[in-house]
Amino acid sequence: MYKSIIFDIDGTLLDTEKAILLSLQQVLKEEGLSYELDDLKFSLGIPGKEALKQLPVTNVDNMDKKWSQAVLEYADEVGLFSGIEEIIELLADKQIQMGIVTSKTRDEFKREFQPFGLNTYFQYIVCADDTVKHKPEPEPLLACLEGLGIPSSSALYIGDSIYDMHCAYKAGVHFALALWGAKTTEGYDLAEYVLKKPQDIAVLAGLKL
């Protein structure tokens, strides 16, 4: 049983894959760069600027701003994964401490996550601009542990990407793969748990649905 559960957002709480990829494809097309969506999937799970640095763009900061705005145009493609709201409410009701470690910037978090009305359930939130280093490095998760005032042994990090898993491993925190976002277990050998549906989180928290 874990006293604290820390969540990634994209691909874990929110189904944002389509919105992220379509908006990135759009801003790249405006720059005369044509990519298939599958070729842009590397951008999922890491900060936008880090993804853009791997592409032939000349002004990363400017492109990152355009991308952040373009994502909002695809808001209809974003939603909570089925069962997430109910499990978050259950964890809160049972006084399970919760945190967030995300690659979104603070502004992106406010624009893209807060409208779903779940942010008040989380006691500590670490965004991309809160640390110098980002996932897969452990700094963001270590910052969240410090903010929550808990040791790594008491926490579980739930995410959907290789970056999430390695961040957890380096921070000494157990990792649970959100299969509803990851869609595959290939390459996730360091994950302590594989969760097929959000309701499985209750079991790791020692709760009954």
Side-chain angles (χ1 to χ4, degrees), residues 144-208:
C144 191
L145 293 173
E146 183 177 357
L148 291 171
I150 57 170
S152 58
S153 58
S154 297
L156 175 71
Y157 186 41
I158 301 176
D160 69 302
S161 77
I162 293 291
Y163 308 104
D164 297 327
M165 181 183 69
H166 284 288
C167 176
Y169 179 76
K170 292 177 182 179
V173 173
H174 282 181
F175 177 71
L177 176 66
L179 196 56
W180 54 89
K183 302 180 180 64
T184 179
T185 59
E186 186 176 352
Y188 290 94
D189 297 340
L190 296 176
E192 279 78 18
Y193 310 98
V194 175
L195 307 177
K196 294 182 179 179
K197 56 187 185 301
Q199 290 80 2
D200 293 340
I201 298 170
V203 177
L204 297 182
L207 305 177
K208 293 183 179 181

Side-chain angles (χ1 to χ4, degrees), residues 10-11 14-26 36-38 40-41 43-44 67 70-79 81 112 160 181 183:
D10 293 330
L14 291 184
D15 186 357
T16 56
E17 179 176 317
K18 195 171 182 180
I20 290 171
L21 296 179
L22 285 172
S23 57
L24 178 55
Q25 184 185 55
Q26 175 185 310
E36 297 296 327
L37 293 183
D38 283 346
L40 298 175
K41 285 187 175 181
S43 65
L44 300 171
W67 186 9
V71 168
L72 301 179
E73 298 175 20
Y74 294 92
D76 290 344
E77 302 287 352
V78 178
F81 283 104
E112 300 169 25
D160 69 302
K183 302 180 180 64

Side-chain angles (χ1 to χ4, degrees), residues 111-147:
R111 291 197 307 266
E112 300 169 25
F113 185 73
Q114 284 191 2
F116 291 92
L118 296 181
N119 54 297
T120 56
Y121 289 114
F122 300 93
Q123 284 75 48
Y124 203 79
I125 296 165
V126 177
C127 295
D129 36 11
D130 293 326
T131 59
V132 175
K133 294 185 178 180
H134 309 293
K135 295 185 289 186
E137 297 306 315
E139 276 79 354
L141 192 48
L142 292 173
C144 191
L145 293 173
E146 183 177 357

Side-chain angles (χ1 to χ4, degrees), residues 80-89 197-199 201 209:
L80 292 169
F81 283 104
S82 177
I84 283 294
E85 185 171 6
E86 292 79 6
I87 200 67
I88 293 298
E89 290 175 348
K197 56 187 185 301
Q199 290 80 2
I201 298 170
L209 293 175

Side-chain angles (χ1 to χ4, degrees), residues 74-113:
Y74 294 92
D76 290 344
E77 302 287 352
V78 178
L80 292 169
F81 283 104
S82 177
I84 283 294
E85 185 171 6
E86 292 79 6
I87 200 67
I88 293 298
E89 290 175 348
L90 175 64
L91 293 173
D93 183 62
K94 299 301 182 181
Q95 299 184 329
I96 300 296
Q97 195 177 36
M98 288 183 283
I100 283 177
V101 170
T102 177
S103 292
K104 291 183 182 297
T105 64
R106 186 65 58 169
D107 285 343
E108 288 169 343
F109 172 82
K110 291 177 180 178
R111 291 197 307 266
E112 300 169 25
F113 185 73

